[in-house]
Amino acid sequence: MTTAQRNTAARRRPELAAFLRSRRARVTPADVGMPPGLRRRTPGLRREEVAQLSGVGVTWYTWLEQGRRINASAQVLDAVARTLRLDAAEREHLYHLAEVPFFPEQLPSTDCVGAELQGVLDAVETLPAVIYNSRYDILGTNAQYRAVFRVPQARAGVRNVLWTLFTGDRENCPLVFRDSELRVMVAMLRGAYGRHVGEPAWESFIRRLSEASPEFVGMWTSGDVVPPGPRVKTFRHAAVDGEIRMSSVSLAVNGMPEARMVVHTPSDDESRALIAEIPPLERDGTGDEREWS
């Protein structure tokens, strides 16, 4: 451990001690089904009560609350978090202060965008906008995005951009520079994967896509990693004659771990004119949009 790391750890320990004491004082015996007892000098739980309810030793918990350098596993921290009734943000804060790697419990699943977020997407009506999670699962889109990119039917039960691009027809791919763009997207996927190594949903997705696409395997095994960021991408669309160049900007979405709203903006007048020429998706007899497949 370097001097800087030791100094950072030393600063975290008092913060950890203060945080645990404040959370313990907030939980009353009645909150956890315990009698109040006699001679209680604090409105909250005692240290030994937290230890008992969490299934850990009193000495170990006392040392944790004192900010001493002890090893804490994710399982034990989760038990303490449940006893202290920590919410998701507080649980993540506890992990960071205890210097234990934190993994969100679950990424947002597909088709889970609520009415408020869908309203934001729809309000950006002249620009293609989509919400992804870090696996490129499609969580929500607006009409312009669906028209420009002809949002595909879910393939093999996966409504996922990478899955569609790697397993779909190359001739119908909306990306002009398909191979280079896919390399960047896979490198972004690998960067996110580092936070989810061993998680069943992620391992299953990587395994299934590897089985379905040798091309993906080649890019994945390169080991390249890049962070999300603004870029200019070039697209094609069967309804217009010319290339559409758009800047993509990613915006974090509060309350949805690792989800991002990506808004595409035409980067020149020609592209803006071509976007305006693209017709909306047709609707079938039920009133639903007819998706490209």
Side-chain angles (χ1 to χ4, degrees):
M1 181 182 293
T2 66
T3 300
Q5 288 173 326
R6 284 194 293 270
N7 290 339
T8 299
R11 288 195 297 271
R12 282 192 179 127
R13 287 195 289 274
E15 289 292 331
L16 173 62
F19 178 68
L20 286 172
R21 286 196 298 268
S22 68
R23 302 305 91 177
R24 177 166 59 86
R26 188 181 61 178
V27 182
T28 67
D31 290 334
V32 294
M34 299 179 67
L38 302 174
R39 300 179 183 177
R40 185 174 290 275
R41 292 177 293 180
T42 173
L45 297 177
R46 299 187 178 102
R47 285 175 175 169
E48 57 267 26
E49 292 169 338
V50 174
Q52 176 186 349
L53 292 168
S54 304
V56 300
V58 176
T59 299
W60 185 92
Y61 178 76
T62 299
W63 286 357
L64 179 69
E65 193 174 292
Q66 289 174 344
R68 298 197 189 187
R69 288 198 60 81
I70 58 175
N71 293 324
S73 68
Q75 291 80 6
V76 170
L77 288 182
D78 282 345
V80 171
R82 286 192 295 270
T83 298
L84 297 180
R85 314 188 95 177
L86 303 187
D87 61 23
E90 291 171 328
R91 177 174 170 268
E92 180 176 359
H93 187 56
L94 172 64
Y95 267 63
H96 291 324
L97 292 179
E99 300 178 82
V100 173
F102 175 78
F103 303 104
E105 292 183 357
Q106 186 176 1
L107 285 179
S109 59
T110 55
D111 301 322
C112 71
V113 170
E116 290 185 356
L117 276 176
Q118 186 60 54
V120 174
L121 287 170
D122 293 339
V124 193
E125 58 183 356
T126 62
L127 300 175
V130 59
I131 295 179
Y132 302 126
N133 62 22
S134 55
R135 277 197 308 266
Y136 284 96
D137 294 330
I138 298 175
L139 309 181
T141 61
N142 67 1
Q144 186 72 313
Y145 179 93
R146 296 190 294 274
V148 172
F149 300 112
R150 297 166 293 173
V151 177
Q153 299 278 5
R155 286 197 172 93
V158 182
R159 192 177 181 85
N160 178 278
V161 173
L162 278 176
W163 189 280
T164 298
L165 291 174
F166 275 109
T167 64
D169 183 1
R170 292 177 67 98
E171 297 302 319
N172 286 329
C173 180
L175 292 168
V176 173
F177 305 109
R178 176 186 177 279
D179 294 350
S180 59
E181 288 295 342
L182 281 180
R183 288 187 185 279
V184 173
M185 294 174 72
V186 171
M188 291 172 60
L189 179 74
R190 179 171 279 284
Y193 173 72
R195 298 186 293 273
H196 301 278
V197 174
E199 294 183 15
W202 274 79
E203 299 297 346
S204 174
F205 175 73
I206 299 300
R207 183 182 65 256
R208 292 178 63 198
L209 188 51
S210 296
E211 293 170 350
S213 172
E215 184 183 17
F216 169 75
V217 174
M219 295 183 187
W220 180 254
T221 54
S222 72
D224 292 341
V225 174
V226 298
R231 302 197 336 274
V232 175
K233 304 176 186 177
T234 306
F235 302 94
R236 63 170 66 90
H237 194 284
V240 298
D241 183 17
E243 295 182 349
I244 305 168
R245 290 166 291 278
M246 288 191 284
S247 301
S248 64
V249 178
S250 296
L251 309 171
V253 181
N254 288 339
M256 298 179 70
E258 298 188 35
R260 63 191 187 277
M261 179 183 295
V262 180
V263 181
H264 297 80
T265 304
S267 59
D268 52 57
D269 291 340
E270 179 185 1
S271 298
R272 189 171 295 104
L274 291 174
I275 285 286
E277 292 179 16
I278 296 175
L281 290 180
E282 297 179 1
R283 295 185 178 274
D284 60 23
T286 66
D288 292 332
E289 291 172 343
R290 184 180 301 157
E291 295 181 330
W292 168 66
S293 60

